[in-house]
Amino acid sequence: MFVELRAHTAYSFGDGVLPPEALAKRARRLGYTHLAVTDSADLGGLVRFAQAMRKPLRDEACADAATHAELGADACPRCERPLAPIAGAELVVDGHPAAFLARNAQGYRNLAALVTLARVGAWETWQKDRQGDRRGRPQVTWAQVAAHAQGLHALTGPASGMIASRLRARDDLGAREILRQWREVFDASRLSVEVQLHHVSGSEAALAGRLITLAEHEGVPWVVAHDPRYVDADGRLAHDVLTANRHGVTLDEASQQGLLRPNGEWSLISPRSMLLRWSGRTEGIRESRRIAEECEPLDLAWMRPPMPVYPPPSLAGDTAVSTHTTNAMLRLRTYEGAHERWGRTLSPQQEGQLEKELELVARLGFGGFFLVMWDAVRFARSRNILCQGRGSAANSAVAFCLGITAVDPVKHGLLFERFLSEVRADGAAEPPDIDVDFEHERREEVLDYMYDTWGRGHAAITAVTQQYRAPNAVRDTLRAFGYPLEVADALAKRLHYADPAEGAEAIRGELGKAHGFDAESSRGAAALRTIAAFDGVARLRSTHVGGFVLSSAPLGSYLPVEQTSMGRTILQFDKDDLDDLGVPKFDFLGLGGLTM
């Protein structure tokens, strides 16, 4: 049975319109057992994808309608069976795309490291004032791939891949040399020649045949991949809109210039249909299943970086710091602060509360978390930057003694368990949440200090993934369809709080008529279907207002890092994804009131 190893979701920004949940849902209905996602230099959709792949399908019948009807949704084996998610990414290697799948935890870490390299380059040569060098052009070298090959399975890429490009240029010798080079690194068991067939032209079929011949001649398996970007005709329209917008042209101009995919074949189709399509040459179908079964299903624990520990890299040579373990350092700083707050002699209630909290913090492994917040507050006050902790952290006597918060929780009888509790947390699923406000105009000084202290490779800001709303979907779609800007603006301005599907429905009614939009015409109807298709689609990634993530190991090997136009480095994962992973965020927030 066929397994799709090359799906692209909306996290291939500009080249995919599939929400991870929609992809997983469609895969379940079509009868898949495994599915891989290989977004373009991006792993940001994997948390949502993995969760959706394991979620039962109960809101509608699956493809096995007879069994579903007989047993009911709660007992239908296809609806209840979790699917196996496989982590992957498409990377541009020396100018040509190729795909890599994580076979295990080590493979995932190497894949994440490669994505980080593609996005920001080597940290040793990274410069804040050259942040535009790689934005929009992520790529790695073959040497970097070879250095991170352990635990990965390599697919040689589509028609624009390195080997296929040589064959298209009639350089058969060059194609063989490249394949042998790849085989030396990955060996034949972790390398497959990728073959795609979308009924585009005779030359595409001829290329597929030549790729198969090359693979068989060199003793390397070949594998079928379909590389979907959408699941239906409306999704194809939305994908065409993204393509046209990316090139700054209308759909008609994109079609004339050959920028659009020539047919609607880039959708997720059923394993049975793929088997029929490749009947007579099923080796590539069998290879897809072999690869899938040898890849361990994606485990969210692979993505969880180790907590920061003391000393940080910048203080590793400071004997006054390095002689203490993280928990010993936390105890030392806590009692120093306790004597400053409460005097030389602590009451039994004060000491008992501190011991209770320190014991729990040590057991849950959050000692480094508290020390990071203490260090940030200490630095800010040394520079006369006003700061103040707030929220449920005010219930912690340790936070109070470290100077993070200002309210005495012992004096006021505040409940520590409201902030951190073994009942509510397991050390991985629900980390403590401490918000600290800094002067808005000087917050950047604190962030730069954290980067300098922990190193760029160990620190990054959390991202926020913004989804399409009706105004964005209307403007993007109508621009591509060639509508006047005035019409798009008039409609978009009246849909601020609507989702794309709600916006399309509103335009189909009185709103469209009021502003000269003909919903009954073929162009108008197609535009409205396209607008609705952007429902739930990720549009862009932005910087979170304050969430900072630190790790005692290279962070980009767990959560890939990319750079922003402002020179900041951010994670590819949304703040809510980090909550699902149990990754603590250090919330360094800017507050205008403190500036005033």
Side-chain angles (χ1 to χ4, degrees), residues 544-575:
H544 186 260
V545 293
F548 217 76
V549 175
L550 298 173
S551 171
S552 59
L555 184 57
S557 295
Y558 294 83
L559 305 168
V561 177
E562 62 183 48
Q563 56 194 9
T564 71
S565 57
M566 291 181 63
R568 292 174 177 164
T569 47
I570 65 172
L571 299 174
Q572 290 189 331
F573 290 80
D574 183 86
K575 58 182 179 58

PDB file of all heavy atoms in Angstrom, residues 544-575:
ATOM      1  N   HIS A 544       6.688  36.910  18.691  1.00  0.00           N
ATOM      2  CA  HIS A 544       5.873  37.018  19.902  1.00  0.00           C
ATOM      3  C   HIS A 544       6.313  38.246  20.706  1.00  0.00           C
ATOM      4  O   HIS A 544       7.471  38.648  20.653  1.00  0.00           O
ATOM      5  CB  HIS A 544       6.036  35.748  20.740  1.00  0.00           C
ATOM      6  CG  HIS A 544       5.134  35.672  21.929  1.00  0.00           C
ATOM      7  ND1 HIS A 544       5.555  35.979  23.198  1.00  0.00           N
ATOM      8  CD2 HIS A 544       3.829  35.331  22.042  1.00  0.00           C
ATOM      9  CE1 HIS A 544       4.552  35.816  24.049  1.00  0.00           C
ATOM     10  NE2 HIS A 544       3.498  35.430  23.377  1.00  0.00           N
ATOM     11  N   VAL A 545       5.376  38.821  21.448  1.00  0.00           N
ATOM     12  CA  VAL A 545       5.676  40.066  22.154  1.00  0.00           C
ATOM     13  C   VAL A 545       6.713  39.893  23.256  1.00  0.00           C
ATOM     14  O   VAL A 545       7.347  40.867  23.663  1.00  0.00           O
ATOM     15  CB  VAL A 545       4.392  40.672  22.757  1.00  0.00           C
ATOM     16  CG1 VAL A 545       3.455  41.123  21.669  1.00  0.00           C
ATOM     17  CG2 VAL A 545       3.696  39.670  23.687  1.00  0.00           C
ATOM     18  N   GLY A 546       6.886  38.687  23.770  1.00  0.00           N
ATOM     19  CA  GLY A 546       7.836  38.583  24.870  1.00  0.00           C
ATOM     20  C   GLY A 546       8.421  37.217  25.136  1.00  0.00           C
ATOM     21  O   GLY A 546       9.396  37.092  25.858  1.00  0.00           O
ATOM     22  N   GLY A 547       7.840  36.152  24.595  1.00  0.00           N
ATOM     23  CA  GLY A 547       8.266  34.798  24.964  1.00  0.00           C
ATOM     24  C   GLY A 547       9.658  34.464  24.485  1.00  0.00           C
ATOM     25  O   GLY A 547       9.928  34.458  23.283  1.00  0.00           O
ATOM     26  N   PHE A 548      10.548  34.171  25.424  1.00  0.00           N
ATOM     27  CA  PHE A 548      11.930  33.817  25.125  1.00  0.00           C
ATOM     28  C   PHE A 548      12.126  32.353  25.501  1.00  0.00           C
ATOM     29  O   PHE A 548      11.622  31.904  26.534  1.00  0.00           O
ATOM     30  CB  PHE A 548      12.868  34.689  25.972  1.00  0.00           C
ATOM     31  CG  PHE A 548      14.124  35.117  25.280  1.00  0.00           C
ATOM     32  CD1 PHE A 548      14.105  36.130  24.339  1.00  0.00           C
ATOM     33  CD2 PHE A 548      15.335  34.502  25.573  1.00  0.00           C
ATOM     34  CE1 PHE A 548      15.265  36.534  23.702  1.00  0.00           C
ATOM     35  CE2 PHE A 548      16.492  34.907  24.951  1.00  0.00           C
ATOM     36  CZ  PHE A 548      16.463  35.929  24.012  1.00  0.00           C
ATOM     37  N   VAL A 549      12.846  31.595  24.681  1.00  0.00           N
ATOM     38  CA  VAL A 549      13.131  30.192  24.978  1.00  0.00           C
ATOM     39  C   VAL A 549      14.637  30.009  25.043  1.00  0.00           C
ATOM     40  O   VAL A 549      15.372  30.485  24.169  1.00  0.00           O
ATOM     41  CB  VAL A 549      12.527  29.253  23.909  1.00  0.00           C
ATOM     42  CG1 VAL A 549      12.940  27.806  24.175  1.00  0.00           C
ATOM     43  CG2 VAL A 549      11.007  29.367  23.905  1.00  0.00           C
ATOM     44  N   LEU A 550      15.086  29.330  26.087  1.00  0.00           N
ATOM     45  CA  LEU A 550      16.511  29.060  26.284  1.00  0.00           C
ATOM     46  C   LEU A 550      16.716  27.565  26.460  1.00  0.00           C
ATOM     47  O   LEU A 550      15.832  26.848  26.924  1.00  0.00           O
ATOM     48  CB  LEU A 550      17.030  29.787  27.528  1.00  0.00           C
ATOM     49  CG  LEU A 550      16.960  31.320  27.519  1.00  0.00           C
ATOM     50  CD1 LEU A 550      17.349  31.863  28.882  1.00  0.00           C
ATOM     51  CD2 LEU A 550      17.868  31.892  26.451  1.00  0.00           C
ATOM     52  N   SER A 551      17.913  27.116  26.117  1.00  0.00           N
ATOM     53  CA  SER A 551      18.231  25.688  26.228  1.00  0.00           C
ATOM     54  C   SER A 551      19.686  25.521  26.612  1.00  0.00           C
ATOM     55  O   SER A 551      20.549  26.325  26.226  1.00  0.00           O
ATOM     56  CB  SER A 551      17.956  24.995  24.885  1.00  0.00           C
ATOM     57  OG  SER A 551      18.452  23.671  24.894  1.00  0.00           O
ATOM     58  N   SER A 552      19.968  24.457  27.349  1.00  0.00           N
ATOM     59  CA  SER A 552      21.356  24.159  27.693  1.00  0.00           C
ATOM     60  C   SER A 552      22.093  23.495  26.540  1.00  0.00           C
ATOM     61  O   SER A 552      23.312  23.409  26.545  1.00  0.00           O
ATOM     62  CB  SER A 552      21.414  23.256  28.933  1.00  0.00           C
ATOM     63  OG  SER A 552      20.714  22.042  28.690  1.00  0.00           O
ATOM     64  N   ALA A 553      21.346  23.024  25.526  1.00  0.00           N
ATOM     65  CA  ALA A 553      21.917  22.441  24.309  1.00  0.00           C
ATOM     66  C   ALA A 553      21.582  23.360  23.140  1.00  0.00           C
ATOM     67  O   ALA A 553      20.738  24.245  23.262  1.00  0.00           O
ATOM     68  CB  ALA A 553      21.339  21.045  24.078  1.00  0.00           C
ATOM     69  N   PRO A 554      22.239  23.181  21.992  1.00  0.00           N
ATOM     70  CA  PRO A 554      21.885  24.010  20.826  1.00  0.00           C
ATOM     71  C   PRO A 554      20.394  23.941  20.534  1.00  0.00           C
ATOM     72  O   PRO A 554      19.857  22.887  20.226  1.00  0.00           O
ATOM     73  CB  PRO A 554      22.737  23.398  19.710  1.00  0.00           C
ATOM     74  CG  PRO A 554      23.930  22.839  20.406  1.00  0.00           C
ATOM     75  CD  PRO A 554      23.394  22.315  21.721  1.00  0.00           C
ATOM     76  N   LEU A 555      19.735  25.084  20.633  1.00  0.00           N
ATOM     77  CA  LEU A 555      18.278  25.126  20.538  1.00  0.00           C
ATOM     78  C   LEU A 555      17.772  24.716  19.161  1.00  0.00           C
ATOM     79  O   LEU A 555      16.735  24.056  19.031  1.00  0.00           O
ATOM     80  CB  LEU A 555      17.800  26.540  20.881  1.00  0.00           C
ATOM     81  CG  LEU A 555      16.296  26.797  20.934  1.00  0.00           C
ATOM     82  CD1 LEU A 555      15.623  25.861  21.929  1.00  0.00           C
ATOM     83  CD2 LEU A 555      16.034  28.246  21.308  1.00  0.00           C
ATOM     84  N   GLY A 556      18.502  25.089  18.120  1.00  0.00           N
ATOM     85  CA  GLY A 556      18.081  24.795  16.763  1.00  0.00           C
ATOM     86  C   GLY A 556      18.068  23.329  16.407  1.00  0.00           C
ATOM     87  O   GLY A 556      17.539  22.949  15.357  1.00  0.00           O
ATOM     88  N   SER A 557      18.620  22.474  17.258  1.00  0.00           N
ATOM     89  CA  SER A 557      18.566  21.036  17.021  1.00  0.00           C
ATOM     90  C   SER A 557      17.303  20.410  17.603  1.00  0.00           C
ATOM     91  O   SER A 557      17.106  19.204  17.476  1.00  0.00           O
ATOM     92  CB  SER A 557      19.803  20.350  17.629  1.00  0.00           C
ATOM     93  OG  SER A 557      20.975  20.774  16.957  1.00  0.00           O
ATOM     94  N   TYR A 558      16.489  21.218  18.241  1.00  0.00           N
ATOM     95  CA  TYR A 558      15.213  20.755  18.780  1.00  0.00           C
ATOM     96  C   TYR A 558      14.052  21.533  18.158  1.00  0.00           C
ATOM     97  O   TYR A 558      13.074  20.949  17.708  1.00  0.00           O
ATOM     98  CB  TYR A 558      15.184  20.930  20.301  1.00  0.00           C
ATOM     99  CG  TYR A 558      16.166  20.065  21.034  1.00  0.00           C
ATOM    100  CD1 TYR A 558      17.502  20.456  21.173  1.00  0.00           C
ATOM    101  CD2 TYR A 558      15.789  18.845  21.567  1.00  0.00           C
ATOM    102  CE1 TYR A 558      18.419  19.661  21.832  1.00  0.00           C
ATOM    103  CE2 TYR A 558      16.697  18.037  22.230  1.00  0.00           C
ATOM    104  CZ  TYR A 558      18.016  18.445  22.362  1.00  0.00           C
ATOM    105  OH  TYR A 558      18.918  17.647  23.001  1.00  0.00           O
ATOM    106  N   LEU A 559      14.189  22.852  18.156  1.00  0.00           N
ATOM    107  CA  LEU A 559      13.178  23.754  17.619  1.00  0.00           C
ATOM    108  C   LEU A 559      13.875  24.658  16.611  1.00  0.00           C
ATOM    109  O   LEU A 559      14.616  25.563  17.007  1.00  0.00           O
ATOM    110  CB  LEU A 559      12.562  24.592  18.745  1.00  0.00           C
ATOM    111  CG  LEU A 559      11.962  23.816  19.921  1.00  0.00           C
ATOM    112  CD1 LEU A 559      11.662  24.762  21.081  1.00  0.00           C
ATOM    113  CD2 LEU A 559      10.700  23.088  19.500  1.00  0.00           C
ATOM    114  N   PRO A 560      13.689  24.428  15.311  1.00  0.00           N
ATOM    115  CA  PRO A 560      14.430  25.205  14.313  1.00  0.00           C
ATOM    116  C   PRO A 560      14.252  26.714  14.494  1.00  0.00           C
ATOM    117  O   PRO A 560      13.184  27.192  14.881  1.00  0.00           O
ATOM    118  CB  PRO A 560      13.839  24.734  12.985  1.00  0.00           C
ATOM    119  CG  PRO A 560      13.364  23.358  13.264  1.00  0.00           C
ATOM    120  CD  PRO A 560      12.864  23.389  14.676  1.00  0.00           C
ATOM    121  N   VAL A 561      15.320  27.422  14.195  1.00  0.00           N
ATOM    122  CA  VAL A 561      15.381  28.868  14.388  1.00  0.00           C
ATOM    123  C   VAL A 561      15.489  29.542  13.027  1.00  0.00           C
ATOM    124  O   VAL A 561      16.152  29.036  12.120  1.00  0.00           O
ATOM    125  CB  VAL A 561      16.585  29.245  15.275  1.00  0.00           C
ATOM    126  CG1 VAL A 561      16.708  30.750  15.434  1.00  0.00           C
ATOM    127  CG2 VAL A 561      16.469  28.569  16.640  1.00  0.00           C
ATOM    128  N   GLU A 562      14.840  30.688  12.883  1.00  0.00           N
ATOM    129  CA  GLU A 562      15.016  31.500  11.687  1.00  0.00           C
ATOM    130  C   GLU A 562      15.162  32.949  12.110  1.00  0.00           C
ATOM    131  O   GLU A 562      14.985  33.289  13.277  1.00  0.00           O
ATOM    132  CB  GLU A 562      13.852  31.327  10.717  1.00  0.00           C
ATOM    133  CG  GLU A 562      12.503  31.753  11.250  1.00  0.00           C
ATOM    134  CD  GLU A 562      11.391  31.484  10.252  1.00  0.00           C
ATOM    135  OE1 GLU A 562      11.318  30.368   9.700  1.00  0.00           O
ATOM    136  OE2 GLU A 562      10.593  32.415  10.020  1.00  0.00           O
ATOM    137  N   GLN A 563      15.497  33.830  11.174  1.00  0.00           N
ATOM    138  CA  GLN A 563      15.727  35.219  11.520  1.00  0.00           C
ATOM    139  C   GLN A 563      14.633  36.107  10.951  1.00  0.00           C
ATOM    140  O   GLN A 563      13.965  35.769   9.984  1.00  0.00           O
ATOM    141  CB  GLN A 563      17.088  35.681  11.022  1.00  0.00           C
ATOM    142  CG  GLN A 563      17.327  35.496   9.543  1.00  0.00           C
ATOM    143  CD  GLN A 563      18.793  35.645   9.194  1.00  0.00           C
ATOM    144  OE1 GLN A 563      19.644  35.719  10.064  1.00  0.00           O
ATOM    145  NE2 GLN A 563      19.099  35.690   7.912  1.00  0.00           N
ATOM    146  N   THR A 564      14.465  37.255  11.594  1.00  0.00           N
ATOM    147  CA  THR A 564      13.466  38.219  11.165  1.00  0.00           C
ATOM    148  C   THR A 564      14.154  39.387  10.473  1.00  0.00           C
ATOM    149  O   THR A 564      15.378  39.524  10.508  1.00  0.00           O
ATOM    150  CB  THR A 564      12.668  38.749  12.369  1.00  0.00           C
ATOM    151  OG1 THR A 564      13.522  39.607  13.150  1.00  0.00           O
ATOM    152  CG2 THR A 564      12.164  37.613  13.230  1.00  0.00           C
ATOM    153  N   SER A 565      13.361  40.249   9.877  1.00  0.00           N
ATOM    154  CA  SER A 565      13.919  41.408   9.182  1.00  0.00           C
ATOM    155  C   SER A 565      14.536  42.405  10.152  1.00  0.00           C
ATOM    156  O   SER A 565      15.321  43.262   9.745  1.00  0.00           O
ATOM    157  CB  SER A 565      12.827  42.096   8.352  1.00  0.00           C
ATOM    158  OG  SER A 565      11.742  42.477   9.179  1.00  0.00           O
ATOM    159  N   MET A 566      14.201  42.293  11.455  1.00  0.00           N
ATOM    160  CA  MET A 566      14.768  43.194  12.465  1.00  0.00           C
ATOM    161  C   MET A 566      16.058  42.657  13.067  1.00  0.00           C
ATOM    162  O   MET A 566      16.628  43.280  13.961  1.00  0.00           O
ATOM    163  CB  MET A 566      13.745  43.429  13.584  1.00  0.00           C
ATOM    164  CG  MET A 566      12.539  44.231  13.158  1.00  0.00           C
ATOM    165  SD  MET A 566      11.396  44.498  14.544  1.00  0.00           S
ATOM    166  CE  MET A 566      12.425  45.473  15.654  1.00  0.00           C
ATOM    167  N   GLY A 567      16.490  41.496  12.620  1.00  0.00           N
ATOM    168  CA  GLY A 567      17.717  40.935  13.160  1.00  0.00           C
ATOM    169  C   GLY A 567      17.517  40.041  14.357  1.00  0.00           C
ATOM    170  O   GLY A 567      18.484  39.557  14.941  1.00  0.00           O
ATOM    171  N   ARG A 568      16.278  39.814  14.759  1.00  0.00           N
ATOM    172  CA  ARG A 568      16.015  38.878  15.846  1.00  0.00           C
ATOM    173  C   ARG A 568      16.019  37.454  15.314  1.00  0.00           C
ATOM    174  O   ARG A 568      15.819  37.226  14.124  1.00  0.00           O
ATOM    175  CB  ARG A 568      14.675  39.180  16.497  1.00  0.00           C
ATOM    176  CG  ARG A 568      14.641  40.498  17.258  1.00  0.00           C
ATOM    177  CD  ARG A 568      13.256  40.812  17.751  1.00  0.00           C
ATOM    178  NE  ARG A 568      13.227  42.038  18.547  1.00  0.00           N
ATOM    179  CZ  ARG A 568      12.124  42.690  18.841  1.00  0.00           C
ATOM    180  NH1 ARG A 568      10.958  42.230  18.412  1.00  0.00           N
ATOM    181  NH2 ARG A 568      12.163  43.790  19.568  1.00  0.00           N
ATOM    182  N   THR A 569      16.222  36.513  16.201  1.00  0.00           N
ATOM    183  CA  THR A 569      16.109  35.103  15.826  1.00  0.00           C
ATOM    184  C   THR A 569      14.907  34.524  16.563  1.00  0.00           C
ATOM    185  O   THR A 569      14.776  34.674  17.778  1.00  0.00           O
ATOM    186  CB  THR A 569      17.387  34.328  16.185  1.00  0.00           C
ATOM    187  OG1 THR A 569      17.791  34.638  17.523  1.00  0.00           O
ATOM    188  CG2 THR A 569      18.508  34.698  15.230  1.00  0.00           C
ATOM    189  N   ILE A 570      14.015  33.881  15.806  1.00  0.00           N
ATOM    190  CA  ILE A 570      12.774  33.363  16.380  1.00  0.00           C
ATOM    191  C   ILE A 570      12.650  31.876  16.067  1.00  0.00           C
ATOM    192  O   ILE A 570      13.253  31.372  15.120  1.00  0.00           O
ATOM    193  CB  ILE A 570      11.538  34.109  15.847  1.00  0.00           C
ATOM    194  CG1 ILE A 570      11.353  33.869  14.336  1.00  0.00           C
ATOM    195  CG2 ILE A 570      11.641  35.601  16.143  1.00  0.00           C
ATOM    196  CD1 ILE A 570      10.050  34.419  13.779  1.00  0.00           C
ATOM    197  N   LEU A 571      11.855  31.193  16.864  1.00  0.00           N
ATOM    198  CA  LEU A 571      11.564  29.788  16.628  1.00  0.00           C
ATOM    199  C   LEU A 571      10.535  29.654  15.517  1.00  0.00           C
ATOM    200  O   LEU A 571       9.760  30.567  15.250  1.00  0.00           O
ATOM    201  CB  LEU A 571      11.023  29.139  17.902  1.00  0.00           C
ATOM    202  CG  LEU A 571      11.953  29.153  19.111  1.00  0.00           C
ATOM    203  CD1 LEU A 571      11.229  28.617  20.330  1.00  0.00           C
ATOM    204  CD2 LEU A 571      13.209  28.350  18.839  1.00  0.00           C
ATOM    205  N   GLN A 572      10.490  28.496  14.880  1.00  0.00           N
ATOM    206  CA  GLN A 572       9.472  28.234  13.878  1.00  0.00           C
ATOM    207  C   GLN A 572       8.168  27.741  14.502  1.00  0.00           C
ATOM    208  O   GLN A 572       7.204  27.488  13.788  1.00  0.00           O
ATOM    209  CB  GLN A 572       9.978  27.198  12.865  1.00  0.00           C
ATOM    210  CG  GLN A 572      11.080  27.718  11.966  1.00  0.00           C
ATOM    211  CD  GLN A 572      11.421  26.765  10.851  1.00  0.00           C
ATOM    212  OE1 GLN A 572      11.274  25.541  10.991  1.00  0.00           O
ATOM    213  NE2 GLN A 572      11.903  27.299   9.747  1.00  0.00           N
ATOM    214  N   PHE A 573       8.130  27.653  15.823  1.00  0.00           N
ATOM    215  CA  PHE A 573       6.960  27.095  16.491  1.00  0.00           C
ATOM    216  C   PHE A 573       6.148  28.177  17.175  1.00  0.00           C
ATOM    217  O   PHE A 573       6.692  29.068  17.833  1.00  0.00           O
ATOM    218  CB  PHE A 573       7.384  26.038  17.521  1.00  0.00           C
ATOM    219  CG  PHE A 573       7.909  24.778  16.901  1.00  0.00           C
ATOM    220  CD1 PHE A 573       9.207  24.716  16.435  1.00  0.00           C
ATOM    221  CD2 PHE A 573       7.096  23.672  16.760  1.00  0.00           C
ATOM    222  CE1 PHE A 573       9.684  23.557  15.843  1.00  0.00           C
ATOM    223  CE2 PHE A 573       7.571  22.515  16.172  1.00  0.00           C
ATOM    224  CZ  PHE A 573       8.863  22.464  15.711  1.00  0.00           C
ATOM    225  N   ASP A 574       4.841  28.090  17.026  1.00  0.00           N
ATOM    226  CA  ASP A 574       3.922  29.017  17.657  1.00  0.00           C
ATOM    227  C   ASP A 574       3.946  28.850  19.172  1.00  0.00           C
ATOM    228  O   ASP A 574       4.257  27.766  19.686  1.00  0.00           O
ATOM    229  CB  ASP A 574       2.511  28.760  17.111  1.00  0.00           C
ATOM    230  CG  ASP A 574       1.494  29.726  17.649  1.00  0.00           C
ATOM    231  OD1 ASP A 574       1.350  30.806  17.072  1.00  0.00           O
ATOM    232  OD2 ASP A 574       0.843  29.402  18.674  1.00  0.00           O
ATOM    233  N   LYS A 575       3.598  29.924  19.888  1.00  0.00           N
ATOM    234  CA  LYS A 575       3.588  29.885  21.345  1.00  0.00           C
ATOM    235  C   LYS A 575       2.688  28.777  21.889  1.00  0.00           C
ATOM    236  O   LYS A 575       3.030  28.123  22.892  1.00  0.00           O
ATOM    237  CB  LYS A 575       3.139  31.231  21.900  1.00  0.00           C
ATOM    238  CG  LYS A 575       1.754  31.668  21.421  1.00  0.00           C
ATOM    239  CD  LYS A 575       1.376  33.031  21.956  1.00  0.00           C
ATOM    240  CE  LYS A 575       0.012  33.476  21.448  1.00  0.00           C
ATOM    241  NZ  LYS A 575      -1.086  32.541  21.787  1.00  0.00           N
TER     242      LYS A 575
END
